[in-house]
Amino acid sequence: MAWFLTLLVGVVILAAFRAYNKYTSGRCRCTTRLDGKVVVVTGANTGIGKEAARNFAARGARVIMACRDLKKADEARDDIVSSTGNDNVLIRPLDLLSLQSVREFVAGVVRSEQRLDVLVNNAGAGGLPHKYTDDGLVMGMQANHFGPFLLTCLLVDLLKKTPSSRIVTVSSAAYPYGFFDIDNMNCEKDFNGFYLYCNSKLCNIFMTQTLAEKLKGTGITANSLHPGVVKTDIFRNVPNETIKSIASAGVGFFFKNAEAGAQTIIHLAVSKEGGHVSGKYFMDLKERGLASVAKTPGLAEKVWKRSEDFVKLAENERPF
């Protein structure tokens, strides 16, 4: 009986997810072309990053896929070029778990590009172990916040050279559960994977708020978003192939697919609204109010300054 009740509860929860996703899913109907424009998408080899990159390529953009797994990136690029007819899609290696890789990636972009119209901070990870990178940072915090933070800081100058450029950062609706402790920003004490993920996504919002404030008057907008509950390969490690297939099919039925999950990214990157508002948080193509934890006075600026220290931002690297 216990297993039946557990199964029933699981089905009810998944059904609720499906109903929620069906009710809230929006689609970017904007027809804006991106010919002559340059877009960087991190984590563009799979999932919502790949679908966003595909959409930008279909609009005529020069798309730079910033990826760690180059084999998957090659496969994704071939698929994007084949489906859009746009072969101006490039792959550049980027490993957010290495600050040196971030710096090398930016140096390459600055050498090859004269402009940057859109930066999409999409790449991130959940469920990473409590281990440290060679930079002395907890892996999950570096993948989700410190790496994207450094990347954004180093690309601000190129963004400033480009009229009406945009920064779009993928956060999560889990951010309100980040009970933020500025003294434990690297999540070293009392490690908890869920706590870390929520904190890192809260940091994405704090970064966006501070960018919006510091970039006032430059024409650059910065916004964050929750993509929705999106289908992933979360069951890839299940050893039983039959159970894995059933579970994956269930996720595919109840959750958004990657193309639907990419719509708010696309909206903020190409719509008029995305170019007129800054420092805001979006979900299902609409601006949403922030939870109280994200409105703590002065906390966003403190997070910014501590982040500069954690990534060892040199004086000549500081954008402000």
Side-chain angles (χ1 to χ4, degrees):
M1 181 61 70
W3 69 267
F4 177 76
L5 291 175
T6 301
L7 178 62
L8 181 62
V9 170
V11 169
V12 170
I13 291 173
L14 288 172
F17 271 131
R18 179 169 174 78
Y20 171 79
N21 280 328
K22 184 176 182 181
Y23 176 74
T24 60
S25 290
R27 178 165 294 277
C28 180
R29 305 291 181 184
C30 177
T31 59
T32 300
R33 294 287 302 175
L34 297 176
D35 303 281
K37 297 190 175 183
V38 179
V39 181
V40 168
V41 184
T42 67
N45 61 317
T46 189
I48 62 176
K50 177 184 174 182
E51 294 307 318
R54 188 196 307 277
N55 187 284
F56 301 143
R59 295 171 186 270
R62 175 178 171 86
V63 180
I64 298 175
M65 301 171 61
C67 305
R68 183 175 63 166
D69 189 327
L70 299 184
K71 183 176 183 297
K72 285 186 178 179
D74 279 332
E75 295 170 355
R77 180 192 179 276
D78 289 346
D79 183 32
I80 291 171
V81 170
S82 175
S83 64
T84 65
N86 180 357
D87 63 0
N88 198 6
V89 179
L90 313 175
I91 298 170
R92 296 281 187 268
L94 172 66
D95 183 358
L96 293 173
L97 293 178
S98 165
L99 298 182
Q100 180 61 29
S101 175
V102 174
R103 288 182 164 93
E104 290 173 356
F105 170 83
V106 171
V109 170
V110 170
R111 281 195 302 270
S112 66
E113 309 303 323
Q114 300 300 312
R115 62 186 298 140
L116 177 56
D117 296 87
V118 183
L119 168 62
V120 178
N121 287 312
N122 163 71
L128 292 175
H130 189 203
K131 293 182 179 180
Y132 292 84
T133 67
D134 290 342
D135 299 299
L137 301 170
V138 173
M139 290 178 68
M141 285 301 299
Q142 181 160 342
N144 292 346
H145 171 61
F146 292 122
F149 172 83
L150 177 61
L151 177 69
T152 305
C153 284
L154 298 181
L155 285 173
V156 164
D157 283 348
L158 188 56
L159 287 159
K160 283 182 177 178
K161 294 178 182 178
T162 311
S164 303
S165 56
R166 308 181 187 192
I167 302 168
V168 179
T169 300
V170 178
S171 180
S172 168
Y175 82 85
Y177 302 101
F179 298 100
F180 203 79
D181 177 1
I182 193 71
D183 295 321
N184 190 31
M185 189 171 163
N186 194 27
C187 293
E188 299 177 73
K189 298 181 292 185
D190 302 320
F191 178 81
N192 177 288
F194 178 69
Y195 170 85
L196 180 149
Y197 182 78
C198 297
N199 268 342
S200 68
K201 297 290 106 178
L202 179 58
C203 282
N204 294 157
I205 290 176
F206 284 144
M207 179 182 78
T208 297
Q209 291 174 337
T210 306
L211 281 168
E213 185 64 29
K214 292 179 179 296
L215 290 169
K216 278 183 179 178
T218 66
I220 305 173
T221 61
N223 292 291
S224 62
L225 67 110
H226 169 58
V229 184
V230 182
K231 176 186 176 183
T232 68
D233 56 352
I234 190 172
F235 294 109
R236 65 186 179 277
N237 294 319
V238 174
N240 186 298
E241 291 298 324
T242 301
I243 295 175
K244 182 191 295 186
S245 297
I246 294 172
S248 297
V251 168
F253 179 75
F254 288 108
F255 293 178
K256 286 182 180 180
N257 61 27
E259 194 262 346
Q263 293 304 307
T264 305
I265 295 175
I266 297 164
H267 172 74
L268 290 173
V270 305
S271 70
K272 288 184 179 179
E273 183 177 27
H276 291 159
V277 300
S278 193
K280 305 302 182 182
Y281 170 72
F282 283 73
M283 182 167 58
D284 300 311
L285 283 70
K286 297 178 182 178
E287 182 183 332
R288 306 287 176 147
L290 288 170
S292 58
V293 67
K295 296 187 286 187
T296 306
L299 187 53
E301 182 65 26
K302 289 180 181 178
V303 168
W304 182 278
K305 290 179 179 177
R306 290 296 300 275
S307 298
E308 289 182 332
D309 294 337
F310 275 117
V311 303
K312 299 179 175 59
L313 203 66
E315 194 62 37
N316 67 336
E317 294 177 326
R318 295 175 186 269
F320 310 110

